[in-house]
């Protein structure tokens, strides 16, 4: 009996689909989201520039010349022949080098804040959803209470208290050393950056805790949980081996979208004078420094403001792409 040609095609397609791993399926879905792919390429370029800042820039981040303030784009320093690609600021510091170093610090703060907040949120949400009962009630009522508090005023108050009294939270020297190496800061400046990370992460874990709890609630009644219990697995093993790995899809999306919020939040704190302060460059305090001169030189706020806008938009598009890629209801 002859098999129709279209049946052979269907069989070949079925075999092809079965051979794809979950990672391949997610990757193919993500690559179909054009804005997400463009955003990923843009962020790769920005991360590369900030990582290679010491090798790209010809000026030190704190190098100043008061006689060369507010120089235009492409101004050449005659004694040395070095070029100020984005001009200079109000005290003669090279704007391009400060922009790259500021990006390294701002993006590092956002990444560390997301990592810590998602880690805390995942653990709290998994414990809450797995045990239920009074554990769930206590943890979720606390989360709901925290979500009702206006975040920005509380961030301003707490960051102001911590930055003025840095000894309130003891930070190990090893942590300061690692953060300082990542952000190219000394121990004292690294302490300010770590405190801002703590402040941002302290309010960023709430949504991820709710997401994890909701997913774990739907997973804890599955047969694989009962099978693990019958084999003698402990609650800790089940939570970290089964619950959390199977509930990570919405957390990954939440983390990518949270990066945009943390970039803006760090910039807002620095802009309002409650974040990392000058002479340490961040996009937020660079933007704040342009307030006095923005009416005479309207291009000044665009230099630090445009990267904030681009990164925020790119992280949101990447989050949208991941959300579509990880949705099991969508087909290739």
């Amino acid at each position: 009996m002859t098999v129709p040609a279209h049946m052979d095609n269907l069989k070949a397609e079925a075999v092809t689909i079965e051979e794809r791993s979950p990672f391949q399926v997610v990757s193919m879905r993500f690559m179909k989201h054009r804005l997400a792919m463009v955003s990923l390429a843009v962020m790769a370029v920005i991360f590369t520039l900030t990582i290679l800042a010491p090798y790209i820039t010809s000026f030190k981040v704190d190098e100043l010349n008061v006689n060369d303030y507010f120089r235009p784009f492409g101004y050449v320093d005659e004694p040395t022949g070095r070029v100020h690609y984005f001009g200079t600021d109000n005290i003669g510091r090279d704007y391009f080098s400060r922009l790259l170093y500021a990006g390294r610090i701002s993006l590092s703060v956002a990444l560390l804040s997301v990592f810590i907040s998602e880690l805390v949120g995942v653990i709290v949400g998994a414990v809450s959803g797995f045990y239920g009962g009074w554990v769930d009630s206590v943890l979720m009522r606390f989360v709901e209470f925290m979500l009702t508090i206006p975040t920005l005023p509380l961030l301003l108050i707490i960051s102001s208290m911590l930055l003025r009294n840095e000894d309130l939270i003891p930070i190990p020297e090893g942590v300061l050393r690692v953060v300082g190496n990542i952000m190219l800061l000394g121990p004292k400046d690294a302490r300010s950056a770590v405190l801002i990370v703590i402040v941002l992460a302290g309010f960023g874990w709430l949504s991820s805790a709710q997401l994890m709890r909701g997913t774990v609630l739907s997973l804890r009644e599955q047969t694989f949980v009962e099978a693990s219990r019958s084999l003698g697995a402990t609650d800790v093993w089940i939570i970290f081996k089964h619950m959390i790995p199977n509930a990570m899809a919405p957390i990954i999306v939440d983390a990518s979208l949270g990066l945009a919020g943390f970039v803006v939040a760090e910039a807002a704190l620095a802009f309002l004078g409650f974040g990392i302060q000058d002479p340490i460059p961040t996009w937020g305090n660079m933007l704040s420094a342009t307030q006095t001169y923005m009416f005479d030189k309207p291009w000044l706020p665009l230099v630090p403001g445009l990267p904030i806008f681009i990164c925020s938009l790119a992280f949101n598009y990447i989050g949208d792409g991941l959300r579509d890629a990880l949705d099991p209801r969508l087909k290739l």
Side-chain angles (χ1 to χ4, degrees):
M1 180 178 178
T2 304
V3 179
H6 71 277
M7 293 297 293
D8 290 336
N9 294 334
L10 289 175
K11 289 180 180 179
E13 185 179 355
V15 171
T16 304
I17 292 175
E18 288 176 1
E19 290 176 350
R20 291 173 183 156
S21 66
F23 178 77
Q24 290 175 322
V25 173
V26 171
S27 299
M28 292 179 67
R29 288 175 178 170
F30 182 77
M31 286 188 290
K32 288 185 177 182
H33 198 296
R34 295 181 180 179
L35 287 175
M37 291 300 297
V38 171
S39 300
L40 191 64
V42 169
M43 290 311 305
V45 171
I46 292 176
F47 273 110
T48 302
L49 289 174
T50 57
I51 291 171
L52 299 178
Y55 309 100
I56 295 174
T57 60
S58 54
F59 294 88
K60 293 182 179 179
V61 68
D62 55 354
E63 183 178 347
L64 58 89
N65 187 345
V66 292
N67 296 321
D68 284 336
Y69 63 92
F70 287 141
R71 294 299 184 181
F73 285 18
Y75 175 77
V76 179
D77 186 33
E78 294 183 358
T80 61
R82 296 177 298 177
V83 181
H84 296 283
Y85 295 105
F86 288 170
T88 59
D89 64 8
N90 59 311
I91 55 177
R93 296 174 297 191
D94 181 62
Y95 231 37
F96 178 67
S97 61
R98 287 185 65 78
L99 187 74
L100 293 188
Y101 279 93
R104 185 174 183 135
I105 294 171
S106 295
L107 291 175
S108 296
V109 167
L111 287 170
L112 289 173
S113 301
V114 163
F115 175 76
I116 295 173
S117 62
E118 296 298 329
L119 181 63
V120 174
V122 162
I123 294 174
V124 172
V127 170
S128 177
F130 183 78
Y131 286 106
W134 68 268
V135 175
D136 181 44
S137 297
V138 170
L139 291 176
M140 286 302 106
R141 296 302 81 76
F142 176 74
V143 169
E144 291 167 2
F145 169 74
M146 292 295 294
L147 287 172
T148 60
I149 301 175
T151 306
L152 184 57
L154 204 57
L155 281 175
L156 296 178
I157 294 170
I158 294 175
S159 61
S160 176
M161 291 171 56
L162 292 180
L163 291 176
R164 285 175 170 78
N165 303 278
E166 294 182 347
D167 296 332
L168 286 176
I169 299 180
I171 301 172
E173 291 297 326
V175 174
L176 295 179
R177 195 177 303 112
V178 171
V179 173
N181 291 334
I182 294 173
M183 301 185 189
L184 302 179
L185 299 174
K188 180 175 175 56
D189 297 333
R191 181 179 292 275
S192 299
V194 171
L195 290 174
I196 294 301
V197 169
I198 292 172
V199 170
L200 293 175
F203 292 91
W205 61 273
L206 303 172
S207 61
S208 58
Q210 288 183 320
L211 280 174
M212 178 56 71
R213 172 193 178 261
T215 310
V216 169
L217 282 174
S218 64
L219 291 173
R220 69 177 183 178
E221 304 300 332
Q222 299 292 325
T223 54
F224 67 85
V225 176
E226 296 299 325
S228 297
R229 287 188 188 279
S230 65
L231 293 173
T234 63
D235 290 347
V236 174
W237 176 264
I238 295 173
I239 289 173
F240 285 95
K241 183 66 177 178
H242 298 294
M243 295 289 102
I244 292 178
N246 283 286
M248 282 305 294
I251 298 299
I252 293 172
V253 176
D254 183 65
S256 60
L257 295 174
L259 280 170
F262 281 121
V263 168
V264 174
E266 186 280 326
L269 288 177
F271 181 82
L272 296 172
F274 294 92
I276 302 171
Q277 297 301 304
D278 196 40
I280 308 171
T282 69
W283 288 335
N285 63 37
M286 287 181 68
L287 188 62
S288 178
T290 64
Q291 291 182 87
T292 308
Y293 316 101
M294 63 185 299
F295 294 106
D296 297 329
K297 299 171 178 58
W299 54 269
L300 277 178
L302 295 177
V303 177
L306 198 57
I308 297 173
F309 170 75
I310 291 173
C311 289
S312 177
L313 192 64
F315 283 135
N316 276 298
Y317 279 131
I318 292 171
D320 287 341
L322 287 172
R323 181 176 57 199
D324 293 346
L326 294 169
D327 191 342
R329 295 170 298 179
L330 297 179
K331 297 180 179 181
L332 287 175

